[in-house]
Amino acid sequence: MKKRNKLKILNDPIYGFITIPNELIFDLIEHKYFQRLRRISQMGLSYLVYPGAHHTRFHHALGCMHLMQKTVRVLRFKGVSLSEEEEEALYIAILLHDIGHGPFSHAMEHSIVNEVSHESISLKFMEKINEEFNGSLTLAIQIFKGEYHRNFLYQLISGQLDMDRLDYLKRDSFYTGVSEGNINSERLITMLTVVDDELVIEEKGIYSVEKFLLARRLMYWQVYLHKTSLVAESLLIRVLKRAKELVDNGTKLKASDALTFFLEHKITSDNFTSEVLETFSRLDDYDIVSAMKDWVNADDFVLSKLSSMLIDRDLLKIKIKKKPFAEKKKENHINKFIERYKISNEAARYFIFEGTISNQAYHENKQNINILYKSNKIVDIVKATDEYNLRALSKPVTKYFMCYPKYKH
């Protein structure tokens, strides 16, 4: 039998050619759990604002692995010892770090799966794949959980300057066309080194880090927390909540088997068994869009109206300000909506609601970004920089929003 070539090369619009480093990585990419990421949008419903933002978690995971390969080469060149097992484990951990994302990324976590984070689902997937692959993911799982004794390996997977952020800022900037997010990930990687098993940036990389943090802040306000994306995601969460509510009360709704399972069962971290995981693995963006296309014609006013708002991109209005809204303003909108559609107060609250958004580009007390001076002194980026803005970037900025219907006369 002819042996299959597993050392493939992929073409990526951001980095050019990405090489698959070994056969195990190839087999992981081929796995059905990983292939599912082709059907999970990287930026949720942001394509309703930025028409080009149709890239997937699959794209992103491969990009992260490519950056990790570059990082390993840089660190080895600088004399950091990395065994082949550690190298392979890094590639596996970063490749699979997002494998637990549900449809449209975060909507599931806030609606029909109760407080089960995508990180914990990623871990469940990794453990399941590890069984199939005879324990070859064990070290990767240790690093992913932050349980391995060399902390810098964990920082490369999940830190404030990790491969995840280095890829998604650049990739999301490319696909949205928002050039403010276009960071120089190559330069940042070239400046990385390790001191006492902690990741540090060489002094000459300080301005690249400043640009990276600024890009992160701008991308949050301009893209990830864009008001239209905010409305769309809030509506999607409410569509799923309403569907679950109706199913709980005995209504039959048209949906795929996988989606129906999650609508019919109360899933928490306690009962997220391997059977539930298998069903979750069959759930993706297509299930949700397909269901909403049917639900546009549902008998329930709330589900029908919310679904058509998303399918036809006829969204709610949104106001964002620095102070909370007066309760009276919200009540006025609710009363107006009740009067117009003759619905209950409870139903109206699906269309008129408030929330908060917060943006903090840098956390001073969590996996800090440290600068290594030529004198071997190590200083946190906020103290090392002469850029006054960085101090401001490390303070959370909270804004308040209210969504309410447009009234056509």
Side-chain angles (χ1 to χ4, degrees):
M1 201 173 113
K2 192 170 176 233
K3 193 170 183 296
R4 190 171 178 197
N5 170 26
K6 294 184 175 183
L7 301 178
K8 302 276 186 195
I9 292 174
L10 305 163
N11 201 343
D12 181 74
I14 315 283
Y15 310 118
F17 292 116
I18 292 179
T19 53
I20 296 176
N22 61 39
E23 295 197 359
L24 172 58
I25 301 287
F26 178 86
D27 291 336
L28 288 172
I29 291 170
E30 288 277 275
H31 196 283
K32 62 178 182 176
Y33 292 163
F34 190 79
Q35 288 292 319
R36 167 184 165 273
L37 295 181
R38 291 181 184 273
R39 303 185 300 278
I40 303 283
S41 149
Q42 169 71 12
M43 292 180 62
L45 291 155
S46 292
Y47 61 79
L48 293 175
V49 183
Y50 298 102
H54 274 288
H55 55 304
T56 64
R57 294 262 160 204
F58 184 85
H59 271 130
H60 164 61
L62 292 172
C64 290
M65 183 193 69
H66 173 72
L67 293 181
M68 191 66 88
Q69 287 171 283
K70 282 184 180 263
T71 303
V72 166
R73 283 196 291 273
V74 165
L75 293 180
R76 281 207 176 125
F77 178 74
K78 292 182 182 179
V80 178
S81 74
L82 270 169
S83 69
E84 280 182 21
E85 291 75 24
E86 287 170 334
E87 176 186 358
E88 184 177 77
L90 273 176
Y91 299 156
I92 294 169
I94 197 66
L95 187 70
L96 304 182
H97 78 283
D98 268 350
I99 200 168
H101 267 290
F104 293 108
S105 295
H106 295 283
M108 283 279 290
E109 291 171 48
H110 302 292
S111 51
I112 58 177
V113 176
N114 290 48
E115 307 308 316
V116 186
S117 70
H118 67 268
E119 289 91 352
S120 63
I121 300 174
S122 290
L123 192 55
K124 286 177 192 293
F125 273 127
M126 287 163 86
E127 284 163 350
K128 184 86 166 65
I129 297 169
N130 197 28
E131 287 169 26
E132 290 175 38
F133 282 74
N134 304 320
S136 36
L137 279 69
T138 305
L139 183 55
I141 290 169
Q142 252 188 304
I143 292 171
F144 182 78
K145 288 161 83 172
E147 290 173 358
Y148 191 61
H149 64 90
R150 305 188 76 185
N151 190 46
F152 79 92
L153 299 179
Y154 175 68
Q155 289 173 311
L156 290 169
I157 307 288
S158 179
Q160 293 207 70
L161 192 61
D162 58 20
M163 298 305 116
D164 178 33
R165 291 180 184 189
L166 289 185
D167 181 80
Y168 78 62
L169 285 173
K170 199 169 176 61
R171 188 168 299 277
D172 297 349
S173 152
F174 175 86
Y175 280 97
T176 55
V178 176
S179 58
E180 284 84 352
N182 187 13
I183 54 162
N184 190 342
S185 42
E186 295 247 337
R187 166 92 178 150
L188 283 159
I189 286 171
T190 310
M191 293 298 117
L192 286 174
T193 190
V194 174
V195 176
D196 298 331
D197 273 331
E198 296 288 326
L199 212 55
V200 293
I201 292 270
E202 292 169 359
E203 184 183 351
K204 54 181 183 256
I206 194 164
Y207 302 117
S208 302
V209 177
E210 286 178 4
K211 164 83 166 62
F212 162 78
L213 292 173
L214 201 56
R216 190 169 141 74
R217 176 181 180 273
L218 294 172
M219 284 293 281
Y220 267 86
W221 284 138
Q222 226 173 314
V223 177
Y224 308 127
L225 298 174
H226 186 287
K227 61 192 180 78
T228 308
S229 304
L230 211 58
V231 174
E233 184 155 319
S234 301
L235 285 174
L236 181 56
I237 289 166
R238 280 160 178 75
V239 164
L240 294 172
K241 273 189 172 162
R242 183 60 170 187
K244 192 162 178 56
E245 209 173 87
L246 292 170
V247 169
D248 284 347
N249 292 328
T251 306
K252 281 262 175 278
L253 287 179
K254 208 168 162 190
S256 69
D257 290 348
L259 181 55
T260 299
F261 174 84
F262 284 97
L263 292 174
E264 287 178 352
H265 296 84
K266 188 174 165 52
I267 300 299
T268 63
S269 49
D270 297 334
N271 64 359
F272 207 107
T273 60
S274 54
E275 290 74 28
V276 173
L277 188 71
E278 194 54 44
T279 309
F280 185 87
S281 77
R282 297 199 303 275
L283 200 57
D284 54 51
D285 292 6
Y286 297 11
D287 296 71
I288 307 292
V289 172
S290 172
M292 287 196 300
K293 283 166 71 180
D294 279 318
W295 296 345
V296 164
N297 302 313
D299 293 336
D300 178 68
F301 170 82
V302 175
L303 186 64
S304 162
K305 186 118 179 96
L306 290 172
S307 298
S308 68
M309 281 178 167
L310 281 169
I311 293 294
D312 304 333
R313 200 194 177 281
D314 184 13
L315 307 171
L316 297 169
K317 281 183 81 114
I318 181 171
K319 269 218 164 67
I320 299 179
K321 42 190 246 181
K322 288 176 182 170
K323 291 194 175 112
F325 288 83
E327 189 59 30
K328 193 163 172 268
K329 212 169 181 94
K330 184 169 142 190
E331 293 308 317
N332 287 347
H333 281 297
I334 287 173
N335 293 335
K336 199 170 171 185
F337 198 68
I338 289 171
E339 202 178 307
R340 173 165 286 217
Y341 290 103
K342 310 290 180 266
I343 55 169
S344 70
N345 188 294
E346 181 210 2
R349 287 176 189 275
Y350 272 94
F351 301 90
I352 297 115
F353 51 87
E354 294 169 281
T356 59
I357 47 174
S358 185
N359 187 357
Q360 186 173 2
Y362 182 65
H363 296 259
E364 269 187 273
N365 52 2
K366 198 173 91 183
Q367 298 281 11
N368 297 34
I369 300 175
N370 286 321
I371 304 297
L372 172 68
Y373 284 97
K374 289 193 178 69
S375 64
N376 287 332
K377 199 167 109 182
I378 293 173
V379 180
D380 180 273
I381 179 67
V382 170
K383 296 183 179 68
T385 180
D386 53 10
E387 175 64 73
Y388 178 70
N389 281 348
L390 279 207
R391 194 162 292 284
L393 290 190
S394 62
K395 292 184 173 54
V397 177
T398 301
K399 293 184 183 179
Y400 301 83
F401 69 86
M402 179 158 68
C403 296
Y404 53 93
K406 299 170 183 164
Y407 295 103
K408 296 186 175 100
H409 298 292

